[in-house]
Coordinates of all heavy atoms in Angstrom, one line a residue:
M71 N 15.0 -28.1 -17.5 CA 14.4 -27.6 -18.7 C 13.1 -26.9 -18.3 O 12.3 -27.4 -17.5 CB 14.1 -28.7 -19.5 CG 13.5 -28.3 -20.8 SD 13.4 -29.8 -21.6 CE 12.6 -29.9 -22.8
T72 N 13.0 -25.6 -18.7 CA 11.7 -24.9 -18.3 C 11.0 -24.7 -19.6 O 11.3 -24.8 -20.7 CB 12.3 -23.4 -17.9 OG1 12.9 -22.7 -19.0 CG2 13.0 -23.4 -16.7
T73 N 9.6 -24.7 -19.2 CA 8.6 -24.5 -20.2 C 8.0 -23.2 -20.2 O 8.0 -22.5 -19.1 CB 7.6 -25.5 -20.2 OG1 6.9 -25.4 -19.0 CG2 8.1 -26.9 -20.4
T74 N 7.8 -22.5 -21.4 CA 7.3 -21.1 -21.4 C 5.8 -21.2 -21.8 O 5.4 -22.1 -22.7 CB 8.1 -20.2 -22.3 OG1 8.0 -20.8 -23.7 CG2 9.5 -20.0 -21.8
A75 N 5.1 -20.4 -21.3 CA 3.6 -20.3 -21.7 C 3.5 -19.7 -23.1 O 4.4 -18.8 -23.4 CB 2.9 -19.5 -20.7
P76 N 2.5 -20.1 -23.8 CA 2.4 -19.4 -25.1 C 2.1 -18.0 -25.1 O 1.5 -17.5 -24.1 CB 1.2 -20.1 -25.8 CG 0.6 -21.2 -24.7 CD 1.6 -21.1 -23.5
S77 N 2.6 -17.3 -26.0 CA 2.4 -15.8 -25.9 C 0.9 -15.5 -26.2 O 0.4 -16.2 -26.9 CB 3.4 -15.2 -27.0 OG 3.0 -15.5 -28.3
P78 N 0.6 -14.4 -25.7 CA -0.7 -13.9 -25.9 C -1.1 -13.8 -27.4 O -2.2 -14.0 -27.8 CB -0.9 -12.5 -25.2 CG 0.2 -12.5 -24.2 CD 1.2 -13.4 -24.8
T79 N -0.1 -13.3 -28.2 CA -0.2 -13.3 -29.6 C -0.6 -14.6 -30.2 O -1.5 -14.7 -31.2 CB 0.9 -12.6 -30.4 OG1 1.2 -11.3 -29.7 CG2 0.6 -12.3 -31.8
R80 N 0.1 -15.5 -29.8 CA -0.3 -16.9 -30.4 C -1.6 -17.3 -30.0 O -2.3 -18.0 -30.9 CB 0.9 -17.9 -29.9 CG 0.7 -19.2 -30.5 CD 1.9 -20.1 -30.2 NE 1.6 -21.5 -30.8 CZ 2.4 -22.5 -30.6 NH1 3.4 -22.3 -30.0 NH2 2.1 -23.6 -31.2
K81 N -2.0 -17.2 -28.8 CA -3.4 -17.4 -28.4 C -4.3 -16.8 -29.2 O -5.4 -17.4 -29.7 CB -3.6 -17.1 -26.9 CG -2.9 -17.9 -26.0 CD -3.2 -17.5 -24.4 CE -2.5 -18.2 -23.5 NZ -2.9 -17.8 -22.1
I82 N -4.2 -15.5 -29.5 CA -4.9 -14.8 -30.3 C -5.1 -15.4 -31.8 O -6.1 -15.5 -32.3 CB -4.7 -13.3 -30.4 CG1 -4.9 -12.7 -29.0 CG2 -5.4 -12.5 -31.4 CD1 -4.2 -11.2 -28.8
N83 N -3.9 -15.6 -32.4 CA -3.8 -16.1 -33.7 C -4.6 -17.5 -33.8 O -5.2 -17.7 -34.8 CB -2.5 -16.2 -34.2 CG -1.8 -14.9 -34.3 OD1 -2.6 -13.9 -34.7 ND2 -0.5 -14.8 -34.4
E84 N -4.4 -18.3 -32.7 CA -5.1 -19.6 -32.8 C -6.6 -19.5 -32.8 O -7.2 -20.2 -33.4 CB -4.6 -20.5 -31.5 CG -3.0 -20.9 -31.8 CD -2.6 -21.6 -30.5 OE1 -3.3 -21.8 -29.6 OE2 -1.4 -22.1 -30.5
R85 N -7.2 -18.6 -32.0 CA -8.5 -18.3 -31.9 C -9.0 -17.7 -33.0 O -10.2 -17.9 -33.4 CB -8.7 -17.4 -30.6 CG -8.5 -18.2 -29.3 CD -9.2 -17.5 -28.2 NE -8.9 -18.2 -26.9 CZ -8.9 -17.7 -25.8 NH1 -9.1 -16.4 -25.6 NH2 -8.7 -18.5 -24.8
K86 N -8.3 -16.9 -33.8 CA -8.9 -16.3 -35.1 C -9.1 -17.2 -36.1 O -9.9 -17.0 -37.0 CB -7.7 -15.2 -35.6 CG -7.8 -13.9 -34.8 CD -6.8 -13.0 -35.5 CE -6.7 -11.6 -34.8 NZ -5.8 -10.8 -35.3
M87 N -8.4 -18.3 -36.0 CA -8.6 -19.4 -37.1 C -9.8 -20.1 -37.1 O -10.4 -20.7 -38.0 CB -7.3 -20.5 -37.0 CG -6.1 -19.9 -37.3 SD -4.9 -21.2 -37.3 CE -3.5 -20.3 -37.6
T88 N -10.6 -20.0 -35.9 CA -11.9 -20.7 -35.8 C -13.0 -19.8 -36.3 O -12.8 -18.6 -36.2 CB -12.1 -21.0 -34.3 OG1 -12.2 -19.9 -33.5 CG2 -11.0 -22.0 -33.9
S89 N -13.9 -20.4 -36.7 CA -15.0 -19.6 -37.3 C -16.4 -19.7 -36.7 O -17.4 -19.3 -37.0 CB -15.3 -19.9 -38.8 OG -15.7 -21.3 -38.9
N90 N -16.4 -20.5 -35.5 CA -17.5 -20.6 -34.6 C -17.9 -19.4 -33.9 O -17.1 -18.8 -33.3 CB -17.1 -21.8 -33.7 CG -18.3 -22.3 -32.9 OD1 -19.4 -21.6 -32.9 ND2 -18.2 -23.2 -32.1
P91 N -19.1 -19.0 -34.1 CA -19.7 -17.7 -33.5 C -19.4 -17.8 -31.9 O -19.1 -16.7 -31.3 CB -21.1 -17.7 -33.8 CG -21.3 -18.5 -34.9 CD -20.2 -19.6 -34.8
E92 N -19.5 -18.9 -31.3 CA -19.3 -19.0 -29.9 C -17.8 -18.7 -29.5 O -17.5 -18.0 -28.5 CB -19.7 -20.4 -29.3 CG -21.1 -20.6 -29.1 CD -21.5 -21.9 -28.7 OE1 -20.6 -22.6 -28.2 OE2 -22.7 -22.3 -28.8
D93 N -16.9 -19.2 -30.4 CA -15.5 -18.9 -30.2 C -15.1 -17.4 -30.3 O -14.3 -16.9 -29.6 CB -14.6 -19.8 -31.1 CG -14.7 -21.1 -30.7 OD1 -15.0 -21.5 -29.6 OD2 -14.3 -22.1 -31.6
L94 N -15.9 -16.8 -31.4 CA -15.6 -15.4 -31.5 C -16.2 -14.6 -30.3 O -15.5 -13.7 -30.0 CB -16.4 -15.0 -32.8 CG -16.2 -13.6 -33.2 CD1 -14.7 -13.2 -33.4 CD2 -17.1 -13.2 -34.5
S95 N -17.2 -14.9 -29.9 CA -17.7 -14.4 -28.6 C -16.8 -14.4 -27.5 O -16.4 -13.5 -26.7 CB -19.1 -14.9 -28.2 OG -19.6 -14.3 -27.0
I96 N -16.2 -15.6 -27.3 CA -15.3 -15.9 -26.2 C -14.0 -15.0 -26.5 O -13.4 -14.5 -25.6 CB -15.0 -17.4 -26.0 CG1 -16.2 -18.1 -25.6 CG2 -13.8 -17.6 -25.2 CD1 -16.1 -19.6 -25.6
F97 N -13.5 -15.0 -27.7 CA -12.4 -14.3 -28.1 C -12.6 -12.7 -27.8 O -11.7 -12.1 -27.1 CB -12.1 -14.4 -29.7 CG -11.0 -13.4 -30.2 CD1 -9.7 -13.6 -29.8 CD2 -11.4 -12.4 -30.9 CE1 -8.7 -12.9 -30.3 CE2 -10.4 -11.5 -31.4 CZ -9.1 -11.7 -31.0
V98 N -13.7 -12.1 -28.2 CA -14.1 -10.8 -27.9 C -14.2 -10.6 -26.4 O -13.5 -9.6 -25.9 CB -15.3 -10.4 -28.6 CG1 -15.8 -9.1 -28.2 CG2 -15.1 -10.5 -30.1
Q99 N -14.7 -11.4 -25.7 CA -14.8 -11.3 -24.2 C -13.3 -11.3 -23.5 O -13.0 -10.5 -22.7 CB -15.7 -12.3 -23.6 CG -16.1 -12.1 -22.0 CD -16.7 -10.9 -21.9 OE1 -17.6 -10.4 -22.5 NE2 -16.2 -10.1 -20.8
D100 N -12.6 -12.3 -24.0 CA -11.2 -12.3 -23.5 C -10.4 -10.8 -23.8 O -9.7 -10.5 -22.9 CB -10.5 -13.5 -24.1 CG -10.9 -14.7 -23.5 OD1 -11.6 -14.8 -22.5 OD2 -10.6 -15.8 -24.1
M101 N -10.6 -10.5 -25.0 CA -9.8 -9.2 -25.3 C -10.4 -8.1 -24.4 O -9.5 -7.3 -24.0 CB -10.1 -8.8 -26.9 CG -9.4 -9.8 -27.8 SD -7.6 -9.7 -27.6 CE -7.3 -8.0 -28.1
L102 N -11.8 -7.9 -24.3 CA -12.3 -6.8 -23.4 C -11.7 -7.1 -22.0 O -11.4 -6.1 -21.4 CB -13.7 -6.9 -23.4 CG -14.5 -6.5 -24.8 CD1 -16.0 -6.7 -24.7 CD2 -14.1 -5.0 -25.1
D103 N -11.7 -8.3 -21.5 CA -11.1 -8.5 -20.2 C -9.7 -8.0 -20.1 O -9.3 -7.6 -19.1 CB -11.3 -10.0 -19.8 CG -12.7 -10.4 -19.4 OD1 -13.5 -9.5 -19.4 OD2 -12.9 -11.6 -19.5
Q104 N -8.8 -8.4 -21.1 CA -7.5 -7.9 -21.0 C -7.4 -6.5 -21.1 O -6.5 -5.8 -20.5 CB -6.7 -8.7 -22.4 CG -6.6 -10.1 -22.2 CD -5.9 -10.8 -23.4 OE1 -5.5 -10.0 -24.3 NE2 -5.9 -12.0 -23.5
M105 N -8.1 -5.8 -21.9 CA -8.0 -4.3 -22.0 C -8.4 -3.7 -20.7 O -7.8 -2.8 -20.2 CB -8.9 -3.9 -23.2 CG -8.4 -4.2 -24.5 SD -9.6 -3.9 -25.8 CE -9.9 -2.1 -25.7
N106 N -9.5 -4.2 -20.1 CA -10.0 -3.9 -18.8 C -8.9 -3.9 -17.7 O -8.6 -3.1 -17.0 CB -11.3 -4.5 -18.3 CG -11.8 -3.9 -17.1 OD1 -11.9 -2.6 -17.0 ND2 -12.1 -4.7 -16.2
E107 N -8.3 -5.2 -17.7 CA -7.1 -5.4 -16.6 C -5.9 -4.3 -17.0 O -5.5 -3.7 -16.0 CB -6.6 -6.8 -16.7 CG -7.5 -7.8 -16.3 CD -7.0 -9.3 -16.5 OE1 -5.9 -9.5 -16.9 OE2 -8.0 -10.2 -16.3
S108 N -5.6 -4.2 -18.3 CA -4.6 -3.2 -18.6 C -5.0 -1.8 -18.2 O -4.2 -1.0 -17.6 CB -4.3 -3.2 -20.0 OG -3.4 -2.3 -20.4
F109 N -6.3 -1.4 -18.5 CA -6.7 -0.2 -18.1 C -6.7 0.0 -16.6 O -6.2 1.2 -16.2 CB -8.1 0.2 -18.6 CG -8.7 1.4 -18.2 CD1 -8.4 2.6 -19.0 CD2 -9.6 1.6 -17.2 CE1 -8.9 3.8 -18.7 CE2 -10.3 2.8 -17.0 CZ -9.9 3.9 -17.7
V110 N -7.0 -0.8 -15.8 CA -7.0 -0.7 -14.3 C -5.6 -0.6 -13.7 O -5.3 0.2 -13.0 CB -7.9 -1.9 -13.6 CG1 -7.6 -2.0 -12.3 CG2 -9.3 -1.9 -14.0
A111 N -4.8 -1.4 -14.3 CA -3.3 -1.4 -13.9 C -2.7 0.0 -14.2 O -2.0 0.6 -13.4 CB -2.6 -2.5 -14.6
T112 N -3.0 0.5 -15.4 CA -2.5 1.7 -15.8 C -3.1 2.9 -14.9 O -2.4 3.8 -14.4 CB -2.8 2.1 -17.3 OG1 -2.1 1.0 -18.1 CG2 -2.1 3.4 -17.6
G113 N -4.3 2.8 -14.7 CA -5.0 3.8 -13.7 C -4.3 3.8 -12.3 O -4.1 4.9 -11.7
N114 N -4.1 2.6 -11.9 CA -3.6 2.6 -10.5 C -2.2 2.9 -10.4 O -1.6 3.7 -9.5 CB -3.6 1.0 -10.0 CG -5.0 0.5 -9.7 OD1 -5.8 1.4 -9.4 ND2 -5.2 -0.8 -9.7
T115 N -1.3 2.8 -11.5 CA -0.1 3.3 -11.6 C -0.1 4.9 -11.7 O 0.8 5.5 -10.9 CB 0.7 2.9 -12.9 OG1 0.8 1.3 -12.9 CG2 2.1 3.4 -13.0
I116 N -0.9 5.4 -12.4 CA -1.0 6.9 -12.5 C -1.4 7.4 -11.2 O -0.8 8.5 -10.7 CB -2.0 7.2 -13.5 CG1 -1.4 7.0 -14.9 CG2 -2.3 8.7 -13.6 CD1 -2.4 7.0 -16.1
I117 N -2.4 6.8 -10.5 CA -2.8 7.3 -9.1 C -1.7 7.3 -8.1 O -1.5 8.2 -7.4 CB -4.1 6.6 -8.7 CG1 -5.3 7.0 -9.6 CG2 -4.3 6.8 -7.2 CD1 -6.5 6.3 -9.3
G118 N -0.9 6.2 -8.1 CA 0.2 6.0 -7.3 C 1.2 7.0 -7.5 O 1.8 7.5 -6.6
R119 N 1.6 7.3 -8.8 CA 2.5 8.5 -9.0 C 2.1 9.8 -8.7 O 2.9 10.5 -8.1 CB 2.9 8.2 -10.5 CG 3.8 7.0 -10.8 CD 4.2 7.0 -12.3 NE 4.8 5.8 -12.5 CZ 5.3 5.4 -13.7 NH1 4.8 6.2 -14.8 NH2 5.9 4.2 -13.9
M120 N 0.8 10.0 -8.9 CA 0.2 11.3 -8.5 C 0.3 11.5 -6.9 O 0.5 12.5 -6.5 CB -1.2 11.4 -9.0 CG -1.3 11.7 -10.3 SD -3.0 11.8 -11.0 CE -3.6 13.1 -10.2
D121 N 0.1 10.4 -6.2 CA 0.2 10.4 -4.8 C 1.6 10.7 -4.3 O 2.0 11.5 -3.4 CB -0.2 9.0 -4.1 CG -1.8 8.9 -4.2 OD1 -2.4 9.9 -4.3 OD2 -2.2 7.7 -4.0
Q122 N 2.6 10.1 -5.0 CA 4.0 10.4 -4.7 C 4.4 11.8 -5.0 O 5.2 12.5 -4.2 CB 4.9 9.4 -5.5 CG 4.9 8.0 -5.2 CD 5.8 7.1 -6.1 OE1 6.1 7.6 -7.2 NE2 5.9 5.8 -5.9
V123 N 3.9 12.4 -6.2 CA 4.1 13.7 -6.4 C 3.5 14.6 -5.4 O 4.2 15.7 -5.0 CB 3.7 14.1 -7.9 CG1 3.7 15.6 -8.1 CG2 4.5 13.4 -8.9
G124 N 2.4 14.4 -5.0 CA 1.7 15.1 -3.9 C 2.5 15.1 -2.6 O 2.7 16.2 -1.9
K125 N 3.0 13.9 -2.2 CA 3.8 13.9 -1.1 C 5.1 14.7 -1.1 O 5.6 15.4 -0.2 CB 4.2 12.5 -0.7 CG 2.9 11.7 -0.1 CD 3.3 10.2 -0.1 CE 2.0 9.4 0.4 NZ 2.3 8.0 0.4
R126 N 5.8 14.6 -2.3 CA 6.9 15.4 -2.6 C 6.7 16.9 -2.6 O 7.5 17.6 -2.0 CB 7.6 15.0 -4.0 CG 8.2 13.6 -4.1 CD 8.7 13.3 -5.4 NE 9.2 11.9 -5.4 CZ 9.7 11.3 -6.5 NH1 9.7 12.1 -7.7 NH2 10.2 10.2 -6.5
M127 N 5.5 17.3 -3.0 CA 5.2 18.7 -3.0 C 4.9 19.2 -1.5 O 5.4 20.2 -1.2 CB 3.9 18.9 -3.9 CG 4.2 18.9 -5.4 SD 2.8 19.0 -6.4 CE 2.4 20.7 -6.1
D128 N 4.3 18.3 -0.8 CA 4.1 18.7 0.6 C 5.4 18.9 1.3 O 5.6 19.7 2.2 CB 3.2 17.7 1.3 CG 1.8 17.6 0.9 OD1 1.3 18.6 0.2 OD2 1.1 16.6 1.0
D129 N 6.4 17.8 1.1 CA 7.8 17.9 1.7 C 8.4 19.2 1.2 O 9.1 19.8 2.0 CB 8.5 16.7 1.3 CG 8.0 15.4 2.0 OD1 7.2 15.4 2.9 OD2 8.3 14.3 1.5
L130 N 8.3 19.5 0.0 CA 9.0 20.8 -0.5 C 8.4 21.9 0.1 O 9.2 22.9 0.6 CB 8.9 20.7 -2.1 CG 9.5 22.1 -2.7 CD1 10.9 22.0 -2.5 CD2 9.2 21.9 -4.2
E131 N 7.1 22.1 0.2 CA 6.5 23.1 1.0 C 6.9 23.3 2.4 O 7.2 24.4 2.8 CB 4.9 23.1 0.9 CG 4.2 24.1 1.4 CD 2.8 24.0 1.3 OE1 2.2 23.0 0.8 OE2 2.0 25.0 1.7
R132 N 7.1 22.2 3.1 CA 7.4 22.3 4.5 C 9.0 22.7 4.5 O 9.3 23.6 5.4 CB 7.4 20.8 5.1 CG 6.0 20.4 5.7 CD 6.1 19.3 6.5 NE 6.3 18.0 5.7 CZ 5.3 17.3 5.0 NH1 4.2 17.7 5.3 NH2 5.6 16.2 4.5
S133 N 9.7 22.2 3.6 CA 11.2 22.6 3.6 C 11.3 24.1 3.2 O 12.1 24.8 3.9 CB 11.9 21.9 2.5 OG 11.9 20.6 2.8
I134 N 10.5 24.7 2.5 CA 10.5 26.0 2.0 C 10.0 26.9 3.3 O 10.6 27.8 3.6 CB 9.6 26.4 0.8 CG1 10.2 25.8 -0.6 CG2 9.4 27.9 0.6 CD1 9.2 25.9 -1.8
N135 N 9.0 26.5 4.0 CA 8.5 27.1 5.1 C 9.7 27.2 6.1 O 9.8 28.2 6.9 CB 7.3 26.5 5.6 CG 6.1 26.9 4.8 OD1 6.0 27.8 4.1 ND2 5.0 26.0 4.8
D136 N 10.3 26.1 6.4 CA 11.4 26.0 7.4 C 12.5 26.9 7.0 O 12.9 27.7 7.9 CB 11.9 24.5 7.5 CG 11.0 23.6 8.1 OD1 10.0 24.0 8.8 OD2 11.2 22.3 8.0
L137 N 12.8 27.1 5.7 CA 13.9 28.0 5.2 C 13.4 29.3 5.4 O 14.3 30.2 5.9 CB 14.3 27.7 3.8 CG 15.1 26.4 3.6 CD1 15.1 26.1 2.1 CD2 16.3 26.5 4.1
M138 N 12.2 29.7 5.2 CA 11.7 31.1 5.3 C 11.7 31.3 6.9 O 12.1 32.5 7.2 CB 10.2 31.1 4.8 CG 10.3 31.1 3.3 SD 8.6 31.2 2.6 CE 8.2 32.9 3.0
E139 N 11.4 30.5 7.7 CA 11.4 30.8 9.2 C 12.9 31.0 9.5 O 13.1 32.0 10.4 CB 10.8 29.6 10.0 CG 9.4 29.6 9.9 CD 8.7 28.3 10.6 OE1 9.4 27.8 11.4 OE2 7.6 28.1 10.3
Q140 N 13.8 30.2 9.0 CA 15.3 30.4 9.4 C 15.8 31.7 8.9 O 16.5 32.3 9.5 CB 16.0 29.3 8.8 CG 15.9 27.9 9.5 CD 16.5 26.8 8.8 OE1 17.4 27.0 7.9 NE2 16.2 25.6 9.3
A141 N 15.2 32.3 7.8 CA 15.7 33.5 7.2 C 14.9 34.7 7.8 O 15.2 35.8 7.5 CB 15.5 33.5 5.7
G142 N 14.0 34.4 8.8 CA 13.3 35.4 9.4 C 12.0 35.9 8.6 O 11.6 37.1 8.9
L143 N 11.6 35.1 7.7 CA 10.5 35.6 6.9 C 9.3 34.8 7.3 O 8.6 34.1 6.5 CB 10.9 35.3 5.4 CG 12.0 36.0 4.7 CD1 12.3 35.6 3.4 CD2 11.8 37.5 4.9
E144 N 8.8 34.9 8.6 CA 7.8 34.2 9.1 C 6.5 34.7 8.6 O 6.4 35.8 8.1 CB 7.8 34.1 10.6 CG 9.0 33.4 11.1 CD 8.9 33.4 12.6 OE1 7.9 33.5 13.2 OE2 10.1 33.3 13.3
G145 N 5.5 34.0 8.6 CA 4.1 34.5 8.1 C 3.6 33.5 7.0 O 4.2 32.4 6.7
N146 N 2.8 34.1 6.2 CA 2.1 33.3 5.2 C 3.0 33.2 4.0 O 3.5 34.2 3.4 CB 0.7 34.0 4.6 CG 0.1 33.4 3.6 OD1 0.4 32.2 3.2 ND2 -1.1 33.8 3.3
P147 N 3.4 32.0 3.5 CA 4.5 31.8 2.5 C 3.8 32.3 1.2 O 4.6 32.5 0.2 CB 4.5 30.4 2.4 CG 3.4 29.7 3.2 CD 2.9 30.6 4.1
N148 N 2.6 32.5 1.1 CA 2.0 33.0 -0.2 C 2.0 34.5 -0.2 O 1.6 35.1 -1.2 CB 0.5 32.5 -0.3 CG 0.4 30.9 -0.5 OD1 1.3 30.5 -1.1 ND2 -0.7 30.5 0.0
D149 N 2.3 35.2 0.8 CA 2.4 36.6 0.8 C 3.8 37.1 0.4 O 4.8 37.2 1.2 CB 2.1 37.1 2.3 CG 2.0 38.6 2.4 OD1 2.0 39.3 1.4 OD2 2.1 39.2 3.4
T150 N 3.8 37.4 -0.9 CA 5.2 37.6 -1.5 C 5.6 39.1 -1.2 O 6.7 39.5 -1.4 CB 5.2 37.4 -3.0 OG1 4.1 38.1 -3.6 CG2 5.1 35.9 -3.2
S151 N 4.6 39.9 -0.8 CA 4.9 41.4 -0.6 C 5.9 41.6 0.5 O 6.8 42.3 0.3 CB 3.6 42.2 -0.3 OG 3.0 41.7 0.9
K152 N 5.8 40.8 1.6 CA 6.8 41.0 2.6 C 8.2 40.3 2.1 O 9.2 41.1 2.4 CB 6.4 40.0 3.8 CG 7.4 40.2 5.0 CD 6.9 39.4 6.1 CE 7.9 39.6 7.4 NZ 7.5 38.9 8.5
L153 N 8.3 39.4 1.4 CA 9.5 38.9 0.8 C 10.1 39.9 -0.1 O 11.3 40.2 0.0 CB 9.2 37.6 0.0 CG 10.5 36.9 -0.6 CD1 11.6 36.5 0.5 CD2 10.2 35.7 -1.3
L154 N 9.3 40.5 -1.0 CA 9.9 41.4 -1.9 C 10.4 42.7 -1.2 O 11.3 43.3 -1.5 CB 8.7 41.9 -3.0 CG 8.3 40.7 -3.9 CD1 7.3 41.2 -4.8 CD2 9.5 40.2 -4.8
S155 N 9.6 43.2 -0.2 CA 10.0 44.4 0.5 C 11.3 44.1 1.3 O 12.1 45.0 1.4 CB 8.9 44.8 1.5 OG 8.7 43.8 2.5
E156 N 11.5 42.9 1.7 CA 12.7 42.5 2.4 C 13.9 42.5 1.5 O 15.0 42.9 2.0 CB 12.5 41.0 3.1 CG 11.5 41.0 4.2 CD 12.1 41.1 5.6 OE1 13.2 40.8 5.7 OE2 11.4 41.4 6.5
M157 N 13.7 42.3 0.2 CA 14.7 42.2 -0.8 C 14.9 43.6 -1.5 O 15.6 43.6 -2.4 CB 14.3 41.1 -1.8 CG 14.3 39.8 -1.2 SD 13.7 38.4 -2.3 CE 15.0 38.6 -3.5
D158 N 14.0 44.5 -1.1 CA 14.1 45.9 -1.8 C 13.8 45.9 -3.2 O 14.2 46.6 -4.0 CB 15.4 46.5 -1.6 CG 15.6 47.0 -0.1 OD1 14.6 47.3 0.5 OD2 16.7 47.3 0.4
I159 N 13.0 44.9 -3.6 CA 12.5 44.8 -5.0 C 11.4 45.8 -5.4 O 11.3 46.3 -6.4 CB 12.2 43.4 -5.4 CG1 13.4 42.5 -5.3 CG2 11.6 43.3 -6.8 CD1 13.2 41.1 -5.6
N160 N 10.6 46.1 -4.4 CA 9.4 47.0 -4.6 C 9.8 48.4 -4.4 O 9.0 49.2 -4.8 CB 8.5 46.7 -3.4 CG 7.5 45.5 -3.5 OD1 7.5 45.1 -4.7 ND2 7.1 45.1 -2.5
D161 N 11.2 48.8 -4.4 CA 11.6 50.1 -4.4 C 11.3 50.7 -5.8 O 12.0 50.3 -6.7 CB 13.0 50.2 -4.0 CG 13.6 51.6 -3.8 OD1 12.7 52.5 -3.7 OD2 14.7 51.8 -3.8
T162 N 10.4 51.7 -5.8 CA 10.1 52.3 -7.2 C 11.0 53.6 -7.4 O 10.7 54.2 -8.5 CB 8.6 52.7 -7.3 OG1 8.3 53.5 -6.2 CG2 7.9 51.3 -7.2
S163 N 11.8 54.0 -6.5 CA 12.6 55.2 -6.7 C 13.8 55.0 -7.4 O 14.9 55.0 -6.9 CB 12.7 55.9 -5.3 OG 13.7 55.0 -4.5
T164 N 13.7 54.7 -8.6 CA 14.9 54.5 -9.5 C 15.1 55.6 -10.4 O 14.1 56.4 -10.8 CB 14.7 53.3 -10.4 OG1 13.7 53.3 -11.2 CG2 14.6 51.9 -9.5
D165 N 16.3 55.9 -10.8 CA 16.7 57.0 -11.7 C 15.9 56.5 -13.1 O 16.0 55.5 -13.5 CB 18.1 57.1 -11.9 CG 18.7 57.7 -10.6 OD1 18.0 58.4 -9.8 OD2 19.9 57.4 -10.4
S166 N 15.7 57.7 -13.8 CA 15.1 57.4 -15.2 C 16.1 56.8 -16.1 O 15.7 56.0 -17.0 CB 14.6 58.8 -15.7 OG 15.7 59.6 -15.8
K167 N 17.3 56.9 -15.9 CA 18.3 56.4 -16.8 C 18.4 54.8 -16.6 O 18.9 54.1 -17.3 CB 19.7 57.0 -16.7 CG 20.4 56.8 -15.3 CD 21.7 57.6 -15.2 CE 22.3 57.4 -13.8 NZ 23.6 58.1 -13.7
D168 N 18.0 54.4 -15.3 CA 18.0 52.9 -15.0 C 16.8 52.2 -15.5 O 16.7 51.1 -15.5 CB 18.3 52.8 -13.4 CG 19.6 53.2 -13.0 OD1 20.4 53.2 -13.9 OD2 19.8 53.5 -11.8
S169 N 15.9 53.0 -15.7 CA 14.5 52.3 -16.0 C 14.6 51.7 -17.5 O 15.2 52.3 -18.4 CB 13.4 53.3 -15.8 OG 13.4 54.3 -16.6
V170 N 13.8 50.7 -17.6 CA 13.7 50.1 -19.0 C 12.3 50.2 -19.5 O 11.3 49.8 -18.7 CB 14.1 48.7 -19.0 CG1 14.0 47.9 -20.3 CG2 15.6 48.5 -18.4
N171 N 12.1 50.7 -20.8 CA 10.7 50.9 -21.3 C 10.6 49.6 -22.1 O 11.4 49.1 -22.9 CB 10.6 52.0 -22.2 CG 10.8 53.3 -21.4 OD1 10.4 53.4 -20.3 ND2 11.3 54.3 -22.1
V172 N 9.3 49.0 -21.9 CA 9.1 47.9 -22.7 C 7.9 48.1 -23.8 O 7.1 48.8 -23.5 CB 8.5 46.7 -21.7 CG1 8.3 45.4 -22.5 CG2 9.7 46.4 -20.6

């Protein structure tokens, strides 16, 4: 047979029934402590997930750089002009019938 701890809601309700100012002060302090613990835990979770995303982005950047090297596109990965010239996208000598006016 297992026993369960009283729920936090029940503890709160039991404390609300008292009208002693000292009890009210303890109740408020407990609530603030619980909120602080929750805030810290949530903040730690967010920071941990941001670290994971940062690591994944670093891995993705390394993979892209490796693929670019394999494709013969060495150099600064932020320099798209070389990539575009390799793909002939920068070619501006198109017929007027092929151009699209926006």
Side-chain angles (χ1 to χ4, degrees):
M71 182 172 168
T72 60
T73 58
T74 59
S77 70
T79 306
R80 183 173 178 181
K81 287 181 184 178
I82 291 170
N83 289 336
E84 289 173 359
R85 288 188 180 162
K86 282 183 180 178
M87 292 180 186
T88 63
S89 59
N90 186 351
E92 289 179 10
D93 290 341
L94 180 60
S95 177
I96 292 170
F97 169 75
V98 170
Q99 187 61 44
D100 287 346
M101 288 298 295
L102 290 173
D103 290 342
Q104 289 175 8
M105 289 173 59
N106 187 47
E107 289 173 12
S108 177
F109 180 77
V110 168
T112 302
N114 289 338
T115 300
I116 290 170
I117 290 171
R119 289 182 181 170
M120 288 175 64
D121 287 343
Q122 288 176 349
V123 168
K125 289 175 185 175
R126 288 179 183 173
M127 289 175 66
D128 291 342
D129 290 343
L130 180 60
E131 185 177 1
R132 276 191 291 276
S133 296
I134 289 171
N135 287 336
D136 290 345
L137 290 171
M138 288 179 69
E139 287 177 17
Q140 290 174 8
L143 300 173
E144 296 180 29
N146 185 355
N148 295 325
D149 185 14
T150 56
S151 60
K152 183 176 180 181
L153 177 62
L154 293 174
S155 66
E156 298 263 338
M157 298 172 61
D158 287 332
I159 292 177
N160 281 340
D161 187 16
T162 57
S163 62
T164 58
D165 293 335
S166 60
K167 64 181 178 181
D168 292 337
S169 64
V170 177
N171 293 328
V172 180

